[in-house]
């Protein structure tokens, strides 16, 4: 079954709004795993407005399942992940001021840079994933970087789901995933996936390795509770089998 990685950035945003250590990031991460999450995702940014670099070091000692760190491969970010050695690093093209990830890499334009970063991460045994859109020409260049996976940027799918036909909404992602599969690149997905649209997405791309979900899941947990919410997201993935 496709794995569910819970992005806990929004929990850190809540903590930082008040100061102190409530909610406790480490406890939330441990509880997510205890409630059935297959991994934990964080996306530290230079201004540390949500997850802080210190949090990442602390999380390494308590995450017992898969640890995925997302971010732009700046010198500081690379030092962090080379120190922590998570299971996976997802490379995103966000500028420092971005509110959230809103586009994938232009792989052809940044191929040399990405190749060098990935080689460095592979040298210490870290699996890599590149955040990309659905442009097939762009994905066709991905194998040259030697990355292990891509993560499909799913905001366009989420925006179109229920607005146009769901078949049309998911079609570009199916095509992109099929090409990646032909190229022997494994596939993750994330951004604005939710209880409403996740089952349909994963049913149409059943070979997905992992989905990373934060904003929607944490928002749902305000109403449903964290344990129930994680169970419901896992059910979405299970129902797509």
């Amino acid at each position: 079954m496709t794995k569910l990685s819970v992005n806990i950035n929004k929990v850190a945003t809540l903590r930082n709004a008040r100061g102190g250590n409530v909610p406790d990031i480490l406890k939330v991460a441990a509880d997510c795993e205890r409630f059935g999450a297959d991994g934990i995702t964080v996306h530290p940014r230079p201004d540390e407005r949500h997850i802080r670099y210190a949090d990442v070091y602390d999380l390494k000692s308590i995450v017992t399942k898969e640890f995925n760190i997302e971010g732009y491969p700046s010198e500081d970010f690379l030092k962090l992940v080379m120190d922590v050695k998570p299971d996976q690093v997802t490379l995103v093209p966000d500028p420092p001021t971005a509110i959230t990830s809103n586009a994938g890499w232009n792989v052809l334009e940044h191929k040399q840079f990405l190749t060098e970063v990935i080689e460095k991460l592979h040298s210490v045994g870290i699996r890599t994933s590149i955040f990309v859109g659905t442009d097939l020409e762009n994905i066709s260049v991905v194998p040259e970087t030697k990355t292990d996976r891509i993560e499909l940027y799913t905001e366009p799918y989420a925006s179109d789901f229920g607005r146009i036909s769901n078949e049309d909404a998911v079609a570009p992602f199916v095509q992109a995933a099929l090409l990646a599969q032909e190229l022997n690149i494994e596939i993750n997905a994330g951004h604005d996936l939710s209880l409403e649209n996740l089952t349909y997405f994963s049913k149409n791309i059943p070979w997905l390795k992992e989905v990373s979900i934060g904003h929607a899941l944490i928002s749902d947990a305000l109403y449903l509770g964290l344990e129930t919410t994680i169970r419901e997201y896992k059910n979405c993935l299970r129902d797509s089998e």
Side-chain angles (χ1 to χ4, degrees):
M1 191 175 78
T2 302
K3 292 183 177 180
L4 171 66
S5 185
V6 176
N7 186 319
I8 59 172
N9 274 22
K10 285 298 186 292
V11 180
T13 302
L14 180 60
R15 176 200 63 187
N16 295 351
R18 188 66 181 265
N21 194 40
V22 178
D24 184 333
I25 294 297
L26 301 186
K27 184 178 187 307
V28 170
D31 285 342
C32 285
E33 291 191 330
R34 183 164 60 88
F35 296 152
D38 302 298
I40 299 297
T41 292
V42 293
H43 187 150
R45 296 180 184 275
D47 63 5
E48 298 193 320
R49 64 179 178 269
H50 33 62
I51 287 292
R52 300 167 180 155
Y53 276 40
D55 294 328
V56 179
Y57 287 102
D58 291 341
L59 284 162
K60 174 61 177 177
S61 65
I62 65 99
V63 173
T64 62
K65 297 182 181 178
E66 182 171 287
F67 193 18
N68 172 48
I69 304 177
E70 301 177 342
Y72 179 81
S74 64
E75 287 187 17
D76 287 343
F77 178 84
L78 288 174
K79 180 184 184 306
L80 173 72
V81 297
M82 296 290 281
D83 286 346
V84 173
K85 296 182 180 62
D87 302 282
Q88 178 175 269
V89 166
T90 300
L91 303 173
V92 298
D94 291 355
T97 56
I99 295 175
T100 186
S101 303
N102 57 14
W105 286 96
N106 181 328
V107 181
L108 183 59
E109 181 179 342
H110 299 284
K111 182 175 66 174
Q112 184 61 38
F113 173 63
L114 290 168
T115 300
E116 291 171 1
V117 169
I118 289 164
E119 182 178 10
K120 181 178 291 188
L121 296 173
H122 281 171
S123 73
V124 293
I126 300 172
R127 185 175 73 236
T128 60
S129 180
I130 298 176
F131 198 61
V132 296
T134 56
D135 181 84
L136 300 182
E137 184 177 0
N138 192 52
I139 292 173
S140 69
V141 183
V142 165
E144 298 178 39
T145 69
K146 308 299 183 185
T147 190
D148 304 288
R149 295 184 180 182
I150 57 171
E151 179 175 330
L152 293 173
Y153 168 54
T154 50
E155 191 274 338
Y157 162 76
S159 296
D160 285 340
F161 187 83
R163 186 181 67 84
I164 63 175
S165 80
N166 293 340
E167 184 178 354
D168 288 343
V170 82
F173 295 86
V174 173
Q175 293 169 7
L178 284 168
L179 176 57
Q181 192 178 45
E182 290 174 12
L183 297 172
N184 294 315
I185 301 292
E186 294 181 331
I187 307 153
N188 297 338
H191 204 91
D192 286 353
L193 294 173
S194 68
L195 289 176
E196 287 71 36
N197 60 43
L198 178 58
T199 298
Y200 189 82
F201 187 86
S202 57
K203 186 173 292 185
N204 280 274
I205 310 176
W207 56 92
L208 273 176
K209 288 293 184 180
E210 173 186 291
V211 292
S212 175
I213 304 177
H215 183 83
L217 190 151
I218 299 303
S219 297
D220 288 333
L222 294 175
Y223 294 93
L224 304 175
L226 188 58
E227 183 172 8
T228 297
T229 299
I230 289 174
R231 183 171 65 246
E232 290 301 311
Y233 275 85
K234 293 281 286 187
N235 286 341
C236 285
L237 297 171
R238 191 172 292 110
D239 290 345
S240 68
E241 291 185 304

